Amino acid sequence: MTTDLNAAFTQEKTEQIEAVREEARAFQERIDRGEIASIGGDRYRVLTGWDEGETFTVRRNTQGQIEQILAQHGLDTTTGGAALYTTTPAWHGLGAVIPGGITDIDEVLKLARIDWEVSKRPVLYKWDDGIRDATDHYVTLRTDTGNALGTVGDRYKVFQNRRVFEFLQDLVERDDALWESAGALRGGRKTFVTMQIPHSIVIDRGGLDDEIALYLAAINSHDGTSSAESVVTPWRIECGNTERFATRDAVHRWGIRHTKGGLSALEEARRTLGLTLDYAKAFEREENQLVRTDLLIDDFHKLIDGVWTVDEDATDRQKTFAQQRHDELEGMFHDGARKLGRTAYAAERTITDYLDHRMGVVPRNLSEDLARAQRSLEGTNDDLKSKAHRKLLLLAR
């Protein structure tokens, strides 16, 4: 069994497109529950789950009912087509799809519609019928369209799109790397490139065969709002949403400042990559320990109580929340155990799935005291996942 976040993401979006009416009803229900919030007009943002932060535009009929949901891919379409090259069809169906991938950088740049460069020009302004130069202020612009991308300072160094590909090649010390995806977002203000690294995490090899593929991605900013960034992540970038998910769920990341020597610090980057792969191997060993550890239902109850502690002086409302969460988690564990067995690994997957997909979000119209109560009960997702992992490892050992 292979766990592929990219395939899950593609399947999710395909289902949304193919089952518009059913999804519209579900979408409205999520709005009603406070899991999705309006951000103006008919645009909405997801507030919880693994697609947290994703934005949608909806179209309504004359009765005000949702008829169509349009996920925002965020890809650059300046030159008429979507700026994307990918080895696997994306959920939105856009871009150049090359099964198996290619190694030639120039060909990928062309297919991804990012075979343009960025120029840095002085900022000029009009004053008293004359043109003046704004000292130490420059505009970055695309050389194919002349479109401005952002304003930067004198020390800002432009990282050309091709150079970022070469940086990843140098980083892995291979000039025959297969490129998984590449493209541009927000009119070219951001570009990205992804390659799969030959080190995946396999849990219970020969049994569950739960494999998590890892990708090495570089995300470059041309508008001066952020550093370039390289991340090891389970996400193949193919739109604005997966770009955000890739940085959110990165196993490790390192920033690259837009300075003269920014792309030259390869030794530090290689050291970080090595540490990341060591971490992945250690994580794989720990997960396999959990697979081999049987778990009684009483142990699962203790895990829930240990992850989400409820004070003796908790209010009735807090206790009600806690019991509802306890019942939902127990039901999820029983369902997961049919496939994974009654193991510590099944317990961890239950906790993770609950935090990513089920845990409620406080609607904006709730009172402040209720909002504080629920936030206090639920804590922060990453901390709770780590807490559960540590407790289960103690049982495994």
Side-chain angles (χ1 to χ4, degrees):
M1 180 180 66
T2 300
T3 299
D4 187 338
L5 292 177
N6 303 283
F9 185 72
T10 299
Q11 181 181 355
E12 175 76 11
K13 294 301 167 285
T14 301
E15 289 174 354
Q16 289 176 351
I17 293 170
E18 293 178 348
V20 175
R21 293 189 181 277
E22 180 180 348
E23 189 63 27
R25 287 193 294 270
F27 193 85
Q28 185 62 55
E29 288 173 1
R30 293 189 73 185
I31 294 173
D32 295 339
R33 291 197 303 266
E35 296 174 5
I36 296 176
S38 172
I39 54 176
D42 282 326
R43 297 183 67 238
Y44 293 83
R45 177 177 289 117
V46 180
L47 301 179
T48 185
W50 67 288
D51 55 348
E52 178 185 355
E54 187 174 352
T55 58
F56 295 86
T57 297
V58 302
R59 293 178 180 172
R60 298 178 182 272
N61 58 24
T62 54
Q63 288 77 40
Q65 299 170 326
I66 296 175
E67 281 194 332
Q68 191 173 12
I69 303 167
L70 304 173
Q72 306 298 294
H73 56 72
L75 293 167
D76 171 37
T77 56
T78 301
T79 58
L84 174 67
Y85 150 87
T86 179
T87 61
T88 306
W91 63 268
H92 43 60
L94 302 175
V97 181
I98 309 296
I102 52 181
T103 61
D104 185 81
I105 293 177
D106 291 321
E107 190 174 355
V108 174
L109 286 168
K110 184 176 181 180
L111 289 168
R113 296 176 179 261
I114 53 174
D115 54 341
W116 39 266
E117 293 194 338
V118 175
S119 179
K120 181 176 160 184
R121 304 289 179 87
V123 171
L124 305 176
Y125 64 95
K126 188 175 181 180
W127 181 261
D128 287 342
D129 296 326
I131 302 298
R132 295 189 181 185
D133 183 341
T135 306
D136 294 334
H137 287 75
Y138 298 82
V139 60
T140 53
L141 56 85
R142 290 175 56 155
T143 56
D144 63 335
T145 64
N147 291 349
L149 301 174
T151 54
V152 298
D154 181 58
R155 297 179 61 188
Y156 180 91
K157 172 69 175 177
V158 172
F159 295 159
Q160 302 296 351
N161 296 331
R162 193 182 205 287
R163 180 68 186 90
V164 175
F165 279 77
E166 294 169 345
F167 170 76
L168 289 186
Q169 279 188 334
D170 293 342
L171 180 58
V172 299
E173 298 181 288
R174 291 184 59 179
D175 57 9
D176 61 345
L178 278 173
W179 304 107
E180 285 285 335
S181 66
L185 306 167
R186 298 175 54 226
R189 292 174 181 83
K190 275 191 175 184
T191 58
F192 59 87
V193 55
T194 310
M195 67 166 64
Q196 186 172 352
I197 59 178
H199 300 278
S200 58
I201 298 172
V202 181
I203 301 166
D204 194 23
R205 192 182 297 273
L208 295 174
D209 276 331
D210 197 353
E211 181 177 2
I212 302 172
L214 293 176
Y215 297 88
L216 176 61
I219 303 162
N220 188 22
S221 166
H222 289 308
D223 61 3
T225 59
S226 62
S227 298
E229 196 169 30
S230 191
V231 299
V232 176
T233 174
W235 288 95
R236 179 197 303 109
I237 303 176
E238 52 194 23
C239 67
N241 294 312
T242 48
E243 178 265 328
R244 186 181 64 258
F245 299 158
T247 54
R248 183 194 69 185
D249 298 337
V251 175
H252 214 299
R253 70 179 74 188
W254 56 95
I256 309 167
R257 296 183 62 189
H258 283 85
T259 58
K260 188 175 181 180
L263 291 176
S264 301
L266 284 170
E267 289 308 312
E268 175 61 21
R270 287 195 188 109
R271 187 186 72 82
T272 303
L273 178 60
L275 291 174
T276 298
L277 298 180
D278 289 342
Y279 163 81
K281 293 174 183 176
F283 178 76
E284 180 179 336
R285 288 193 297 270
E286 291 177 354
E287 292 298 288
N288 280 314
Q289 279 185 281
L290 299 184
V291 169
R292 295 189 293 269
T293 302
D294 293 332
L295 196 72
L296 299 174
I297 191 62
D298 286 345
D299 292 328
F300 184 67
H301 291 164
K302 291 176 183 177
L303 174 67
I304 297 174
D305 295 338
V307 173
W308 287 279
T309 58
V310 180
D311 295 334
E312 291 183 3
D313 60 349
T315 64
D316 290 341
R317 182 173 286 160
Q318 287 177 320
K319 291 176 181 178
T320 298
F321 282 149
Q323 187 59 51
Q324 290 173 345
R325 178 179 55 234
H326 190 284
D327 294 342
E328 184 170 6
L329 283 164
E330 182 174 348
M332 291 174 64
F333 178 66
H334 284 303
D335 290 341
R338 295 191 185 99
K339 183 178 182 180
L340 303 173
R342 289 181 178 274
T343 64
Y345 180 64
E348 183 178 55
R349 286 282 293 270
T350 297
I351 299 293
T352 300
D353 288 346
Y354 174 79
L355 291 170
D356 286 346
H357 304 288
R358 301 286 190 91
M359 188 172 75
V361 169
V362 180
R364 294 186 177 183
N365 60 351
L366 286 186
S367 62
E368 281 301 308
D369 60 328
L370 179 53
R372 283 193 295 270
Q374 192 163 343
R375 282 197 298 267
S376 174
L377 277 171
E378 293 174 343
T380 59
N381 289 6
D382 289 344
D383 288 347
L384 292 175
K385 290 176 186 177
S386 296
K387 190 175 183 180
H389 184 74
R390 290 193 301 269
K391 288 181 175 295
L392 288 168
L393 278 179
L394 289 175
L395 291 174
R397 291 167 182 165

